[in-house]
Amino acid sequence: MTTNRTFTMIKPDAVENGHIGAILDKINAGGFRIVAMKMTQMTQRDAEAFYAIHNERPFFGELVAFMTRGPIIAAILEKENAVEDFRSLIGATNPADAADGTIRKLYATSLGENAVHGSDSDENAKIEGDFHFSGREQF
Ligand code: CMP
């Protein structure tokens, strides 16, 4: 089922480097509607749960340490074909491979510190959005 929604995080590196505004401008210019957004900081437990799929990978500890070291912006975005179009807007996971003009090409510094998250499927967009926006918040 296509929901036309995706989930994103502006990661601690991009927040630290002052790129929140520029990244939100790219998201708006890309035609995405911001359905929900907040600044928050993930706990170790949050990050371990959010990235549980990677828990056997050698970079897992580094990933959890990075994602918990400072605030992030978490947001649910809406647009037709949101998951795929957002992944095009952010570019390849490794900024060295990201196309010119993409958010990671412009603002990411390394494979591990790659500025933004984008859901990889409609199913994960729903799971990840619910992870950060649940309880009293209804969208
Ligand atoms: P993302 O795809 O948003 O979510 C998983 C993250 O793990 C990915 O971004 C990278 O930041 C990180 N990651 C993936 N591969 C590596 C790697 N080889 N070394 C360090 N971090 C990685």
Side-chain angles (χ1 to χ4, degrees):
M1 187 191 72
T2 302
T3 60
N4 294 331
R5 285 186 176 189
T6 192
F7 171 76
T8 188
M9 293 182 286
I10 301 177
K11 298 184 181 183
D13 60 325
V15 174
E16 286 160 10
N17 293 327
H19 296 316
I20 296 173
I23 291 173
L24 291 178
D25 279 347
K26 293 284 286 180
I27 289 172
N28 283 327
F32 294 86
R33 188 171 80 86
I34 297 170
V35 176
M37 183 167 71
K38 68 179 174 188
M39 183 174 244
T40 185
Q41 185 157 352
M42 295 177 92
T43 64
Q44 171 136 351
R45 196 168 163 182
D46 290 335
E48 285 174 355
F50 189 90
Y51 288 110
I53 194 167
H54 296 304
N55 67 9
E56 302 287 320
R57 309 285 285 274
F59 58 82
F60 184 66
E62 195 183 313
L63 175 60
V64 170
F66 164 54
M67 288 302 298
T68 57
R69 83 169 182 221
I72 61 160
I73 301 292
I76 297 172
L77 307 177
E78 194 166 73
K79 178 186 186 294
E80 204 173 303
N81 204 34
V83 166
E84 198 180 318
D85 287 1
F86 192 67
R87 287 175 75 84
S88 297
L89 183 70
I90 66 179
T93 305
N94 188 342
D97 301 328
D100 283 348
T102 60
I103 291 174
R104 284 175 171 152
K105 185 67 165 195
L106 289 166
Y107 304 115
T109 47
S110 67
L111 171 59
E113 302 202 2
N114 62 359
V116 279
H117 170 83
S119 304
D120 64 3
S121 65
D122 288 322
E123 186 190 12
N124 283 337
K126 169 83 175 120
I127 292 168
E128 292 168 0
D130 287 348
F131 185 95
H132 282 275
F133 298 95
S134 57
R136 288 173 296 134
E137 299 144 325
Q138 297 294 325
F139 304 100

